Amino acid sequence: MLLSTDQFIANESFRRWVLENNPQDAQFWVQWIQDHPEQAHTVDQAKHLLRVLYEAFDQASSVELEQEAIRLEEALYSPTVHPFRRISIWMSLAASLLLIVGISWYMLQERKPMPSVAIVPKEILEERVNGTNHPLVVTLIDGSSVILQPKSRISYQFSKQRREVFLTGEAFFEVAKNPGRPFYVYAEDLVTKVLGTSFTIKSCTKKVEVIVKTGRVSVFLKQELAKHQQDASLKGLILTPQEQVILQAQQLTRHTISIKQLSTIIQPTSFSFKRTPISEVFDKLEKVYGIKISYDHERMKNCYLTATLTDEPLVEKLNLICQTIDAEFEQTNTEIRIHSQGCL
Amino acid sequence: MERRHNLQKKNQHLVELWQLAKSGDKQAFCQLAESQRPILINYATSFTKDRELSKDLIQDLFLNIWENRQSLNINVVTIYLLQALRNRLLDHLRIRDRVTELEEDDAFFVDDFVIESNLIEEEHFSQTRQSIRQALAQLPLRQQEVLFLKFYQGLDLERIAEVMSISRQSVANHQHRALNSLKTLLVRYALPFFILYLIF
């Protein structure tokens, strides 16, 4: 009895083999094909057809899926405040979503007999150093925020084509989305290119760790940088949510980490508010960003906020808050000042 | 083959999540939704290229199911969702386009939207995939739907007929015509290697 292409395409095990490369199914089918050589052509046909058409239909991007997942959660958990149409508009304002990607790179001792030096930029750059023992927030001119940890330093230069930051130590980045000007972070031998995400980079002498909380990141080694810049189709290593890559002894291994595990590693603070008094909201911002916010407590005592602001750069968070409570903010060198008539 | 058994296993898990959701477990419901969402978004492209509309209708569908969870009985989760989404899409598009649907013929729905390109997605497009998608998009929508349910979702003739509320024979006809049309269209894109596989 000869099986038809149709029958293969509808078979779960066959599909798992072709689409997911499942090892048990692979074992079965490789053997089966050996035992039924007369079907080899049909199998081949089915395989090819299935793969090509499946990929053609597979259009939902992981970014979209996360966006919609959050949208549903919002609607389920706070139904009275956000009618879903408004969420839809809000989502298009939000620059980033909850994709979590982790990468760890290990620098090999043998390859680096000297202490490694970060790529030295040629022009004069803006530089910020955190010599204090608490986090320091740096706002870049494109609206991105960098939370610089103690004993860390960043220097940065923005040109028309790109935004570049050089990091020593540890920092948490909230990058404003701008596809026309990709954001590069250079830390040790690792270059991270981002389009609009939030992530943490820790660079120590032996190990560079990039943990991306939202968005998508492509990573490559410093020595490959020139190659990548010339050939735009080279994407470096792109990771999907919950994956971690370790470079060790020149071998790349991929791991999966649970979302729970990752959420304890980076920014355990969430900015999710439900009818929260505005004083609490500002207190939280002050604590996480290490800034001072001054506002009229008496006038604003009736102001409450219901919103989820995680992963926005600080400036964007302030914008969203002020829009919601109908206020304005002003940024000076030493503090943020909120102007408001109060809330009804 | 153990086809039925595996379908049941997958569905078993989904039904468990659904039972939890019915008793008020929001997280279980969200998990259920997350697992089915890619299927639904991709399914909707056989009806309209308006991505935002598809996503809105899917959101509507999930919220509606949640609100009515206690009185709803779902046996085969994916089939139920596909049917429910299908109805919503057709209702919405019917009102929008004032076109009556004829199942036996290859009915066309007027669809003004160009295939949306997501900036991030484009980075990963290969030339071949792009061509196949363009070719697929030119097929009558019912044919696209059959190909989707068959290749992407792996449904057999009976299940496809169930989702589309048409006869098995109609499904077979749509499929036959779809693959023939694809063959013709792909000549244009000069993908002879692929056409070879369509000859069966």
Side-chain angles (χ1 to χ4, degrees):
Chain A
M1 179 200 65
L2 281 181
L3 296 167
S4 70
T5 323
D6 273 21
Q7 288 171 287
F8 290 112
I9 287 169
N11 179 278
E12 285 291 321
S13 169
F14 186 82
R15 293 176 68 88
R16 273 198 307 270
W17 171 44
V18 173
L19 299 174
E20 296 166 40
N21 215 356
N22 177 295
Q24 291 111 306
D25 295 296
Q27 208 178 21
F28 170 82
W29 285 104
V30 166
Q31 185 60 49
W32 194 90
I33 294 168
Q34 278 180 14
D35 296 339
H36 301 84
E38 73 283 4
Q39 297 257 232
H41 176 68
T42 316
V43 169
D44 203 45
Q45 216 171 43
K47 219 172 123 180
H48 193 82
L49 209 51
L50 175 58
R51 191 177 280 146
V52 170
L53 283 176
Y54 182 91
E55 283 179 7
F57 281 115
D58 193 17
Q59 297 188 27
S61 71
S62 41
V63 169
E64 276 183 307
L65 291 171
E66 288 292 340
Q67 216 168 14
E68 293 302 295
I70 292 172
R71 190 180 169 188
L72 180 64
E73 274 173 41
E74 280 275 314
L76 283 179
Y77 287 95
S78 52
T80 52
V81 187
H82 283 299
F84 82 82
R85 292 262 168 239
R86 254 189 70 201
I87 289 179
S88 161
I89 297 169
W90 188 83
M91 280 299 165
S92 61
L93 287 177
S96 53
L97 313 148
L98 272 162
L99 290 182
I100 301 177
V101 174
I103 314 169
S104 289
W105 293 86
Y106 290 89
M107 308 323 292
L108 302 172
Q109 224 168 337
E110 312 88 74
R111 287 173 62 204
K112 301 160 65 50
M114 311 258 295
S116 75
V117 179
I119 301 175
V120 179
K122 292 180 201 135
E123 296 97 51
I124 301 170
L125 302 170
E126 295 279 340
E127 188 184 75
R128 295 296 293 272
V129 179
N130 186 355
T132 70
N133 55 4
H134 56 77
L136 178 72
V137 72
V138 179
T139 309
L140 308 177
I141 49 168
D142 67 338
S144 304
S145 307
V146 181
I147 302 181
L148 199 56
Q149 295 300 322
K151 299 207 183 66
S152 303
R153 172 175 78 222
I154 55 162
S155 41
Y156 52 97
Q157 66 182 4
F158 284 12
S159 71
K160 276 215 191 93
Q161 290 88 21
R162 52 179 53 200
R163 300 171 278 170
E164 293 172 304
V165 174
F166 304 85
L167 168 72
T168 317
E170 182 180 337
F172 183 79
F173 293 79
E174 290 166 331
V175 175
K177 196 167 186 174
N178 186 343
R181 274 212 302 180
F183 196 98
Y184 290 86
V185 182
Y186 305 92
E188 302 279 327
D189 274 5
L190 189 70
V191 183
T192 305
K193 177 183 173 188
V194 295
L195 280 180
T197 66
S198 64
F199 53 96
T200 285
I201 298 192
K202 296 188 217 186
S203 96
C204 316
T205 47
K206 295 274 165 52
K207 173 171 133 179
V208 183
E209 227 176 78
V210 178
I211 303 173
V212 174
K213 191 173 174 209
T214 73
R216 186 182 278 207
V217 151
S218 74
V219 182
F220 35 90
L221 295 173
K222 185 174 78 180
Q223 43 265 46
E224 291 167 21
L225 182 59
K227 233 199 314 176
H228 281 272
Q229 290 177 346
Q230 277 164 22
D231 186 348
S233 70
L234 278 182
K235 294 293 170 261
L237 188 68
I238 299 181
L239 296 184
T240 54
Q242 294 179 261
E243 282 191 319
Q244 176 190 47
V245 168
I246 298 177
L247 176 65
Q248 195 167 24
Q250 291 176 338
Q251 287 226 329
L252 272 170
T253 55
R254 196 185 277 253
H255 298 265
T256 316
I257 19 185
S258 70
I259 291 191
K260 239 192 224 167
Q261 219 175 332
L262 277 165
S263 64
T264 56
I265 299 173
I266 38 175
Q267 228 199 8
T269 327
S270 82
F271 286 89
S272 190
F273 304 106
K274 283 190 179 67
R275 263 199 83 71
T276 310
I278 209 73
S279 53
E280 271 180 49
V281 175
F282 289 145
D283 279 349
K284 193 156 211 187
L285 286 174
E286 281 187 325
K287 200 164 57 157
V288 171
Y289 287 96
I291 53 174
K292 170 102 185 62
I293 303 182
S294 73
Y295 58 102
D296 189 330
H297 292 246
E298 188 53 33
R299 238 190 222 171
M300 297 184 73
K301 67 179 180 195
N302 288 323
C303 294
Y304 296 86
L305 185 73
T306 304
T308 304
L309 302 173
T310 320
D311 307 315
E312 302 289 332
L314 173 62
V315 170
E316 200 45 47
K317 280 189 172 82
L318 289 169
N319 269 327
L320 287 168
I321 293 172
C322 288
Q323 265 175 46
T324 313
I325 58 170
D326 199 26
E328 279 173 14
F329 74 93
E330 186 195 328
Q331 207 173 1
T332 70
N333 280 335
T334 51
E335 64 178 13
I336 309 262
R337 273 195 218 139
I338 310 287
H339 302 284
S340 159
Q341 302 293 344
C343 306
L344 294 164
Chain B
M1 294 178 187
E2 359 66 78
R3 183 199 332 151
R4 287 259 168 247
H5 171 68
N6 284 324
L7 208 71
Q8 276 166 20
K9 246 199 332 197
K10 241 192 216 167
N11 188 50
Q12 184 68 9
H13 173 65
L14 293 172
V15 166
E16 278 166 18
L17 284 174
W18 171 239
Q19 292 303 332
L20 286 170
K22 268 179 95 123
S23 61
D25 187 339
K26 284 180 184 171
Q27 208 186 30
F29 185 69
C30 282
Q31 274 179 40
L32 181 78
E34 262 179 63
S35 80
Q36 301 297 291
R37 195 174 277 111
I39 300 168
L40 297 178
I41 292 184
N42 291 330
Y43 182 48
T45 60
S46 300
F47 294 83
T48 174
K49 302 297 178 266
D50 183 352
R51 197 55 144 249
E52 295 308 310
L53 172 65
S54 309
K55 294 193 285 198
D56 283 352
L57 289 177
I58 293 169
Q59 170 82 346
D60 259 343
L61 174 61
F62 282 131
L63 284 177
N64 194 266
I65 292 176
W66 173 257
E67 276 155 31
N68 297 309
R69 63 190 180 278
Q70 274 156 11
S71 53
L72 261 179
N73 287 316
I74 301 178
N75 294 320
V76 186
V77 177
T78 311
I79 304 287
Y80 174 85
L81 290 173
L82 287 170
Q83 284 173 323
L85 180 61
R86 181 174 209 274
N87 292 334
R88 264 169 204 268
L89 281 160
L90 291 179
D91 286 345
H92 189 96
L93 295 169
R94 210 177 270 132
I95 294 167
R96 195 187 74 175
D97 298 336
R98 298 171 197 278
V99 175
T100 52
E101 187 192 337
L102 305 161
E103 283 300 350
E104 296 306 314
D105 308 327
D106 296 326
F108 277 91
F109 272 76
V110 176
D111 190 11
D112 292 328
F113 281 81
V114 173
I115 301 173
E116 276 177 36
S117 61
N118 182 311
L119 186 68
I120 297 172
E121 256 203 324
E122 262 184 285
E123 289 181 41
H124 299 279
F125 262 164
S126 73
Q127 194 53 37
T128 309
R129 207 202 295 195
Q130 185 70 293
S131 305
I132 307 241
R133 279 196 193 168
Q134 277 173 12
L136 276 174
Q138 291 177 57
L139 295 178
L141 293 173
R142 292 295 71 75
Q143 289 180 15
Q144 287 185 43
E145 198 184 342
V146 169
L147 291 183
F148 171 86
L149 292 170
K150 182 191 177 61
F151 287 93
Y152 185 87
Q153 194 51 29
L155 299 181
D156 58 30
L157 271 184
E158 283 93 353
R159 291 297 196 186
I160 297 179
E162 199 184 323
V163 171
M164 294 177 70
S165 300
I166 55 177
S167 67
R168 277 191 55 179
Q169 189 54 48
S170 299
V171 176
N173 291 341
H174 283 306
Q175 181 187 313
H176 180 75
R177 283 180 224 144
L179 291 170
N180 279 336
S181 305
L182 256 190
K183 225 194 309 181
T184 319
L185 285 170
L186 287 172
V187 171
R188 232 186 273 164
Y189 296 105
L191 294 173
F193 68 89
F194 179 64
I195 295 168
L196 276 178
Y197 291 104
L198 285 175
I199 305 170
F200 62 87

